[in-house]
Amino acid sequence: MDFTVIHRVIFVCRQNSRRSQMAHGLLEARASSGLAVFSAGLDGAGGLAAEAITVMEEQGIDLRGQSSNALHEYLPKLFSAVIVLCGCLPELPPAWQQRPLVEDWDIPDPIAGDLESHRRARDLITGRIDGLLQQLNG
C-alpha cells in the first residue's frame, strides 16, 4: 500500500468546535489515500460541541476521535489547501492565505442554534465537499 500524502487539508473556523469539525469529519469519511485532514480554530480551541457530534452521527460519522486545536499549532507550509468556514478569510494570517488552494465557504455559525441549525450547516458543508475533492484530485 502507498501511504504517501499528496494533499494536507485544514478546515478553519473561529473555535474549531462545530463547522470545521464537521467539515473535517465529512472529508475524512470520503477521502481516499493520499489525503490528510485537519481542523483548527482562528481564535483558539473551543472544544468539540455536542450538537456537532450528534448531527454527524446522523450521517454515520463519529467525531469523538477528533481534537479541537488552535491554528497557531500548525505550520502553514505543510498544507496544500486551507478552507475557511467562517467568512473570515481576511483575518487569516498571510502565510495561510498563500497556500496553493485557499477558499472561504462562509457557512453560517450554528453556535446559538438548535440541532436544526447544525444540520443546515452540516448540509451546506456536505454540498461543498465533493467539489473540493474534485479540485484536489483534478
Side-chain angles (χ1 to χ4, degrees):
M1 280 187 166
D2 182 9
F3 291 104
T4 304
V5 173
I6 298 168
H7 293 288
R8 292 170 62 96
V9 178
I10 191 163
F11 291 101
V12 180
C13 67
R14 288 284 175 199
Q15 294 293 317
N16 190 219
S17 60
R18 299 167 194 276
R19 294 167 291 181
S20 55
Q21 291 285 351
M22 289 188 279
H24 180 163
L26 283 162
L27 184 59
E28 206 164 58
R30 293 186 179 180
S32 59
S33 63
L35 191 62
V37 185
F38 301 84
S39 60
L42 241 182
D43 297 338
L48 195 53
E51 297 90 348
I53 292 170
T54 298
V55 300
M56 294 307 292
E57 281 180 337
E58 294 171 355
Q59 302 293 311
I61 298 171
D62 186 359
L63 299 184
R64 287 185 195 90
Q66 295 176 196
S67 62
S68 183
N69 302 293
L71 187 61
H72 68 79
E73 297 175 39
Y74 297 100
L75 296 173
K77 67 181 180 180
L78 298 179
F79 292 86
S80 54
V82 181
I83 309 299
V84 177
L85 294 135
C86 55
C88 50
L89 183 60
E91 298 173 49
L92 202 61
W96 286 101
Q97 293 184 29
Q98 297 166 4
R99 304 317 312 140
L101 173 62
V102 179
E103 293 184 355
D104 191 338
W105 291 357
D106 198 11
I107 305 294
D109 192 350
I111 193 166
D114 56 9
L115 284 178
E116 194 53 42
S117 67
H118 285 78
R119 287 182 187 110
R120 282 191 299 273
R122 177 202 61 206
D123 294 346
L124 287 169
I125 295 165
T126 300
R128 303 292 302 261
I129 292 292
D130 287 335
L132 176 60
L133 281 170
Q134 287 178 347
Q135 284 181 284
L136 295 172
N137 294 326

